Amino acid sequence: MIATRSDTTETLGFLLFPGFPMACLTSAIEPLRAANEITGRKEFAWKLVGESAAPVRSSAEVRFEPDMSLDEARGLDYLFFLSGPSAMFEDTRHAQAQVRWLDRSGVTIGAFSGGIFPLARTGLMEGRRCSVHWCYEAAFAAEFPLIEATQAAILRDRRRITVSGAGAVFDLMLRLIEERLGRPVMTEVACWFQHPFVRDENAVQTMPVAGAGGTETLLPAPVRAAIALFADHIEDPIQIADVAGAVALSERQLERVFKAATGQTPMRYYRLMRLRRARQRVIFSNASLTEIAQSVGYSSSTELARYYAAAFGIGPREERRSLAGLRGLSGAMPPIGDIRRA
């Protein structure tokens, strides 16, 4: 592929909110730095942007000094939101107006990981599809039912770029390097960091098998198909016998292959899947526990609370209270954590 370098530096802005994922920031900057060093030219520049000029503390408790405030943001080709799902602007009306002005000025707007939430709140994702990290999908769907969320690791829809996590951010930067400088430079950058492969932009996110220490892509086909059916029936639970029939197995056969692949029965796995969706909404939304219970197929908040406490070691009401202070102090994503077998 022939390099397509222009004579101007391409500048990326990273809009940081308190508690932003530091890994996403370093995954974006480091490949760009390497591309500059390899070519001996300043092909890429980057600016840290804050709502104000005040320092911003990351999820790892490392503090960063913005290069400019949002009001001062000029000369950017891209602006990416970096935050946890709960992030809000301090002066919402003014900040969102400034972001919309940058969009009208031709800046490509995007988001990494939980940054899709404050970006979606600006209204700039209307009519566009986006990438949403699997651990936020239920919370995102509840808050933004009209925005089409996908399991793509990277999604570019016109002048919007959304990315699910730090590894995918690195892949996006490699794509930007390839488009500007050609495949040989991109490949050399990837090899500098021993990056094993570059995902296509239509690649789906890698998702863990609950409690099994593996990923869904490694599961046998009938088990993957059963899990897909579970995912399609979170609010309206499906019978395991019906799932078995849909994947052309008897109920006993499905239980045997499912337990061999995941270490859990289909029913236990399905319950944990529904509880994980509930937990996203407990942590990242203000929905009532009754609403949350109904959204994952439980008849009452009491029933949800019983299974929730068995899975996570804490009830939903208590977890919400315990995390309220943490969210208020740092804006960081509270840990989803490992789930215990219910």
Side-chain angles (χ1 to χ4, degrees), residues 5 18 28 31 47 68 81 113 120 130 133 142 176 250 261 287 313 329 337 340:
R5 184 181 73 88
K47 298 293 183 181
M68 59 179 67
F81 284 52
S113 190
C130 63
H133 195 287
L176 298 182
S250 70
L329 287 172
R340 302 188 313 181

Side-chain angles (χ1 to χ4, degrees), residues 117 132-143 149-151 207-208 210 216 226-236 269-285 287-289 291-298 304 308 311-312 316 319-320 336 339:
F117 283 78
V132 176
H133 195 287
W134 59 266
C135 74
Y136 301 141
E137 59 185 348
F140 188 86
E143 185 172 352
T150 76
Q151 292 185 347
M207 289 180 281
E216 288 187 3
I227 290 174
L229 283 169
F230 293 160
D232 288 339
H233 291 273
I234 296 296
E235 186 173 351
D236 55 332
Y269 189 97
Y270 189 19
R271 181 186 299 158
L272 289 174
M273 178 182 283
R274 291 161 58 201
L275 289 169
R276 290 173 75 178
R277 297 287 184 91
R279 197 179 195 195
Q280 289 181 33
R281 296 197 64 189
V282 167
I283 293 174
F284 300 123
S285 82
S288 71
L289 296 186
E291 291 173 323
I292 293 171
Q294 292 172 348
S295 75
V296 295
Y298 289 104
L304 170 67
Y308 193 104
F312 306 122
E319 180 157 56
R320 195 171 250 183
I336 293 293
I339 51 179

Side-chain angles (χ1 to χ4, degrees), residues 184-205:
V185 175
M186 181 274 282
T187 302
E188 186 169 351
V189 170
C191 291
W192 267 33
F193 295 94
Q194 291 297 294
H195 195 65
F197 63 93
V198 183
R199 279 173 287 197
D200 294 331
E201 291 195 14
N202 60 357
V204 298
Q205 299 175 43

Side-chain angles (χ1 to χ4, degrees), residues 3-342:
T4 57
R5 184 181 73 88
S6 70
D7 293 329
T8 59
T9 299
E10 199 159 77
T11 304
L12 292 79
F14 301 108
L15 178 57
L16 309 180
F17 291 78
F20 74 91
M22 191 172 76
C24 286
L25 180 63
T26 56
S27 291
I29 291 175
E30 282 297 291
L32 302 179
R33 173 192 63 81
N36 287 348
E37 291 192 24
I38 288 167
T39 61
R41 301 183 298 267
K42 192 174 182 180
E43 296 287 349
F44 297 96
W46 45 89
K47 298 293 183 181
L48 303 186
V49 183
E51 184 177 357
S52 68
V56 184
R57 196 174 294 274
S58 73
S59 58
E61 298 297 322
V62 178
R63 193 175 69 170
F64 289 79
E65 301 276 350
D67 298 304
M68 59 179 67
S69 70
L70 189 56
D71 280 345
E72 298 167 334
R74 299 290 187 276
L76 302 179
D77 297 293
Y78 300 87
L79 179 69
F80 292 102
F81 284 52
L82 281 77
S83 77
S86 304
M88 297 281 190
F89 286 113
E90 292 184 8
D91 185 343
T92 301
R93 179 177 295 182
H94 179 77
Q96 290 186 351
Q98 179 65 10
V99 173
R100 288 193 291 268
W101 178 83
L102 290 169
D103 174 53
R104 292 194 300 272
S105 301
V107 177
T108 295
I109 309 292
F112 301 157
S113 190
I116 185 59
F117 283 78
L119 173 55
R121 292 178 189 124
T122 68
L124 290 176
M125 292 305 299
E126 291 181 6
R128 290 174 169 83
R129 300 161 65 236
C130 63
S131 167
V132 176
H133 195 287
W134 59 266
C135 74
Y136 301 141
E137 59 185 348
F140 188 86
E143 185 172 352
F144 307 105
L146 300 182
I147 299 177
E148 183 181 353
T150 76
Q151 292 185 347
I154 301 168
L155 189 66
R156 292 204 253 187
D157 188 347
R158 288 160 283 173
R159 288 190 303 104
R160 300 289 180 271
I161 304 178
T162 50
V163 188
S164 58
V169 170
F170 198 102
D171 287 329
L172 172 65
M173 295 303 123
L174 291 177
R175 290 298 179 200
L176 298 182
I177 291 166
E178 180 181 15
E179 290 165 7
R180 182 176 174 87
L181 301 172
R183 180 167 288 272
V185 175
M186 181 274 282
T187 302
E188 186 169 351
V189 170
C191 291
W192 267 33
F193 295 94
Q194 291 297 294
H195 195 65
F197 63 93
V198 183
R199 279 173 287 197
D200 294 331
E201 291 195 14
N202 60 357
V204 298
Q205 299 175 43
T206 300
M207 289 180 281
V209 176
T215 62
E216 288 187 3
T217 55
L218 301 177
L219 295 174
V223 177
R224 290 201 309 273
I227 290 174
L229 283 169
F230 293 160
D232 288 339
H233 291 273
I234 296 296
E235 186 173 351
D236 55 332
I238 189 172
Q239 296 296 314
I240 299 301
D242 294 333
V243 174
V247 301
L249 294 175
S250 70
E251 192 170 354
R252 181 172 295 181
Q253 286 173 322
L254 176 62
E255 181 157 344
R256 186 168 60 250
V257 298
F258 207 102
K259 195 163 187 178
T262 70
Q264 300 169 74
T265 65
M267 178 59 75
R268 189 185 298 271
Y269 189 97
Y270 189 19
R271 181 186 299 158
L272 289 174
M273 178 182 283
R274 291 161 58 201
L275 289 169
R276 290 173 75 178
R277 297 287 184 91
R279 197 179 195 195
Q280 289 181 33
R281 296 197 64 189
V282 167
I283 293 174
F284 300 123
S285 82
N286 294 319
S288 71
L289 296 186
T290 298
E291 291 173 323
I292 293 171
Q294 292 172 348
S295 75
V296 295
Y298 289 104
S299 60
S300 68
S301 60
T302 302
E303 184 184 17
L304 170 67
R306 184 171 68 254
Y307 287 117
Y308 193 104
F312 306 122
I314 187 173
R317 198 178 306 278
E318 292 75 23
E319 180 157 56
R320 195 171 250 183
R321 279 200 298 263
S322 69
L323 292 173
L326 174 62
R327 183 183 292 119
L329 287 172
S330 70
M333 167 190 164
I336 293 293
D338 293 331
I339 51 179
R340 302 188 313 181
R341 295 188 178 183

